[in-house]
Amino acid sequence: MTNLATELIAASQPPMPGTPNDWKRFFSFSTDHKVIGIQYLVTSFFFFLVGGIFAMIIRGELITPEADLVDRTVYNAMFTMHGTVMLFLWTFPCLLGLGNYLVPLMIGARDMAFPRLNAIAFWMVPVFGTILMASFLVPGGPAQAGWWAYPPVSLQNPTGNLINGQMLWLLAVAISGVSSIMGAVNFVTTIARMRAPGMTWFRMPVFVWTVLAAQIIQLFGLPALTAGAVMLLLDLTVGTTFFDPAKGGDPVLFQHFFWFYSHPAVYVIILPIFGIFSEVLPVYARKPLFGYKVVAISSLIITGLSAIVWVHHMFASGTPGWMRMIFMATTMLISVPTGIKVFAWVATIWGGKLRLNTAMLFALGGLVMFVFSGITGIMLAAVPVDIHVNNTYFVVGHFHYVIYGAVVMGIYAAIYHWFPKMTGRMYSEGLGKLHFALTFIGTNLNFFPMHPLGLQGMPRRVASYDPEFTFWNVVASLGAFLLGMSTLPFILNMIGSWVQGEKAPKNPWRAIGLEWLLSSPPTVENFEELPIVVSEPYGYGKSDPLVSNPDELEVAHEPN
Ligand code: HEM
Ligand SMILES: [Cu+2]
């Protein structure tokens, strides 16, 4: 039996020469989960920039009260495409990329359960991305009905062409749904069936738990969205009447299909971020994750609750009062398991010896932003407040604090944390910290002003506004441009360090976890011999493997 301490000490050495580093495999139909993971990540970051350009146009338009930069049709297309690209082509693929790369390593598997299915699911992403982008070329331009695509607005087809922006949009969303369902089947099976000997449920890292919880949501929710998208596509193209009120259809039915998935979808996004916080904070605080089991199980509780709250998006759609009360209560209930997690993270870093490198800064920054967004989220869950600020910038401010503050920063934390593992190179801390500073300031400048704007009554989805709202809009737009610029040091750092960064040892952060036992980057088959796991994760502190008595270590690594 080799124990973890010796392994980890060995892991601090530079990697063996000749680790696979052939970049061409990233352009091939590879079935290696690590290659697919990086394919997902790079593709998603490409679309992050595309969605970001749309955001810059939106904020450029809103820097003055008049609609002068782009006309209203283009503006509608911009916020529709911004929302769509950011969700379906940036956040989801990015998190799938992290999951693909990390989950098999973390559970001691050689690959995902269905490697080919995995590759097919990935290659559908560039396909539907291209379909969506092609809508810029068709007469009438891209979809303009918003990323929620409510009928009857989404059923309008002024140009009369069969191939139009909305039709391509629905096609892309349907393909994305199919691709994500394939991904979900693969993750759930992999986690359930492919764990190394000894990797019991309660020895799985929290990131694995959160990916599992998120992918279960995909399994029950996506069929609803995909069915809704296909039905709407049929209404639009062959004249069925599921949702068209003029022909006896029910547009509110579409809202149910849509939100039954799209509310839980926010947990598909945020749960893996909770996982990332749970992985990153203990390493750089050198303390075990506080309340590991509770943090792990609360992920599944969130999944369960997320399925019964969707109507809170429809408080203003003629939902009867008694029903609003039920959905208000279930929504507020989610703050309990979520609050428990926040408490656990704070307890984890409390009194720890914090190492403030870039990964840790992003994790802490993301946590702070998440707490703020949680407060405005509770406000929105209260029916009277929601009715008041419904369709105002308050909502946009709230969810961008979640999505930029917590999600984007969480993803950055993960990228920096696992960058040495993925690329075999170290990143530049200087550029990283600059990136963090610009991101943190930019996010707050950009999205804080949206709260006062919303409370004062500025509606969302408008290209022009009353001049009394000018001040906060100028601040928000300047923040947005700063945020746009913040990606430059990041891109520089990633490309520069990948090409010529310092070579990374196996375990530069002295982290505990199976992935850190492997060379950086790991070899194709991950583990030469599958590890045998004999203890819980997060054993930082008391028996810190590299500091105190290595014999106390409980995780072992043994041939089978
Ligand atoms: C520099 C960064 C960003 C800026 C300046 C920005 C700005 C905006 C603005 C002003 C709107 C409101 C449009 C309206 O309701 O009139 C919006 C909507 C939206 N944003 Fe962002 N955003 C940014 C990043 C992101 C990210 C990273 C996501 C990730 C998922 C995202 C997702 C969305 C979604 C889903 C909508 C709703 C789209 C819609 O109303 O159709 N945004 N964004
Ligand atoms: Cu919701």
Side-chain angles (χ1 to χ4, degrees), residues 56 59 62-63 369 372 393 396-397 400-401 404-405 409 436-453 469-486:
M56 295 301 116
R59 288 294 351 159
L62 294 176
I63 203 164
M369 302 293 279
F372 183 88
Y393 260 87
V396 183
H400 281 84
Y401 260 73
Y404 216 106
M409 286 203 207
F436 172 73
L438 293 178
T439 309
F440 195 79
I441 300 170
T443 311
N444 285 292
L445 273 184
N446 187 354
F447 301 118
F448 180 78
M450 295 183 175
H451 297 90
L453 280 174
F469 300 129
T470 310
F471 172 74
W472 284 117
N473 271 301
V474 172
V475 178
S477 291
L478 295 179
F481 302 146
L482 189 67
L483 211 45
M485 264 158 47
S486 74

Side-chain angles (χ1 to χ4, degrees), residues 48 55-56 58-59 62 75 79-80 82-84 86-87 90-91 146-148 393 396 399-400 403-404 408 446-447 450 460-462 480 483-484:
F48 183 42
M56 295 301 116
I58 295 176
R59 288 294 351 159
L62 294 176
Y75 186 83
F79 73 70
T80 302
H82 166 71
T84 311
M86 285 301 194
L87 293 173
W90 144 250
T91 321
W147 86 277
W148 56 91
Y393 260 87
V396 183
F399 79 76
H400 281 84
I403 232 152
Y404 216 106
V408 177
N446 187 354
F447 301 118
M450 295 183 175
R460 61 189 292 205
R461 300 159 190 157
V462 289
L483 211 45

Side-chain angles (χ1 to χ4, degrees), residues 4-5 8-9 286 512 539-540 543-550 553:
L4 183 67
L8 288 173
I9 291 164
R286 305 296 320 155
I512 299 176
Y540 299 99
S543 55
D544 204 332
L546 298 165
V547 188
S548 57
N549 186 358
L553 271 170

Side-chain angles (χ1 to χ4, degrees), residues 259 262-267 306 309-313 331 398:
W259 287 116
S262 294
H263 179 82
V266 308
Y267 298 96
S306 76
V309 298
W310 77 96
V311 174
H312 65 207
H313 293 274
T331 302
H398 156 72

Side-chain angles (χ1 to χ4, degrees), residues 62-304:
L62 294 176
I63 203 164
T64 57
E66 305 81 35
D68 40 15
L69 181 67
V70 290
D71 72 31
R72 287 164 206 278
T73 336
V74 176
Y75 186 83
N76 290 346
M78 281 303 130
F79 73 70
T80 302
M81 294 298 267
H82 166 71
T84 311
V85 166
M86 285 301 194
L87 293 173
F88 293 104
L89 286 160
W90 144 250
T91 321
F92 288 149
C94 185
L95 292 169
L96 283 176
L98 287 171
N100 245 298
Y101 198 97
L102 295 170
V103 165
L105 300 183
M106 286 180 160
I107 62 173
R110 291 220 160 86
D111 205 331
M112 297 283 282
F114 310 112
R116 266 163 207 276
L117 191 71
N118 203 17
I120 296 171
F122 163 72
W123 282 102
M124 288 166 89
V125 177
V127 169
F128 72 77
T130 310
I131 294 178
L132 197 66
M133 291 304 135
S135 62
F136 278 96
L137 306 174
V138 300
Q144 296 174 33
W147 86 277
W148 56 91
Y150 281 0
V153 176
S154 52
L155 288 173
Q156 292 171 0
N157 183 5
T159 58
N161 281 13
L162 182 62
I163 310 280
N164 58 62
Q166 191 64 47
M167 180 260 175
L168 292 176
W169 187 95
L170 286 164
L171 194 62
V173 169
I175 299 178
S176 136
V178 174
S179 155
S180 303
I181 292 171
M182 289 163 135
V185 171
N186 217 344
F187 274 108
V188 173
T189 316
T190 305
I191 296 169
R193 308 290 307 158
M194 308 277 288
R195 283 171 287 130
M199 177 60 79
T200 57
W201 290 104
F202 285 113
R203 288 178 187 163
M204 294 196 317
V206 171
F207 182 73
V208 179
W209 274 98
T210 56
V211 169
L212 177 68
Q215 296 299 326
I216 291 175
I217 297 179
Q218 296 285 52
L219 277 186
F220 75 70
L222 271 168
L225 176 79
T226 312
V230 171
M231 286 157 82
L232 193 57
L233 188 63
L234 293 176
D235 274 10
L236 187 70
T237 51
V238 303
T240 53
T241 57
F242 295 112
F243 305 128
D244 190 348
K247 298 178 190 149
D250 182 2
V252 175
L253 177 63
F254 180 82
Q255 295 192 15
H256 282 289
F257 272 116
F258 182 80
W259 287 116
F260 181 72
Y261 172 64
S262 294
H263 179 82
V266 308
Y267 298 96
V268 176
I269 296 172
I270 200 73
L271 277 165
I273 303 297
F274 292 166
I276 291 166
F277 289 160
S278 308
E279 299 307 320
V280 173
L281 296 173
V283 177
Y284 301 105
R286 305 296 320 155
K287 282 183 64 196
L289 179 68
F290 185 89
Y292 159 72
K293 275 194 188 172
V294 182
V295 175
I297 292 186
S298 62
S299 310
L300 292 184
I301 296 176
I302 292 176
T303 293

Side-chain angles (χ1 to χ4, degrees), residues 450-534:
M450 295 183 175
H451 297 90
L453 280 174
L455 292 175
Q456 289 159 20
M458 173 165 164
R460 61 189 292 205
R461 300 159 190 157
V462 289
S464 58
Y465 51 82
D466 191 301
E468 67 167 311
F469 300 129
T470 310
F471 172 74
W472 284 117
N473 271 301
V474 172
V475 178
S477 291
L478 295 179
F481 302 146
L482 189 67
L483 211 45
M485 264 158 47
S486 74
T487 49
L488 295 179
F490 173 70
I491 297 169
L492 253 168
N493 199 354
M494 291 298 111
I495 297 180
S497 304
W498 199 344
V499 174
Q500 53 179 22
E502 195 188 317
K503 284 240 184 326
K506 282 182 178 178
N507 188 7
W509 318 129
R510 301 188 308 141
I512 299 176
L514 294 179
E515 75 273 29
W516 300 105
L517 298 174
L518 303 169
S519 62
S520 300
T523 52
V524 176
E525 66 278 15
N526 298 347
F527 299 89
E528 260 164 63
E529 48 199 39
L530 286 183
I532 294 181
V533 184
V534 298

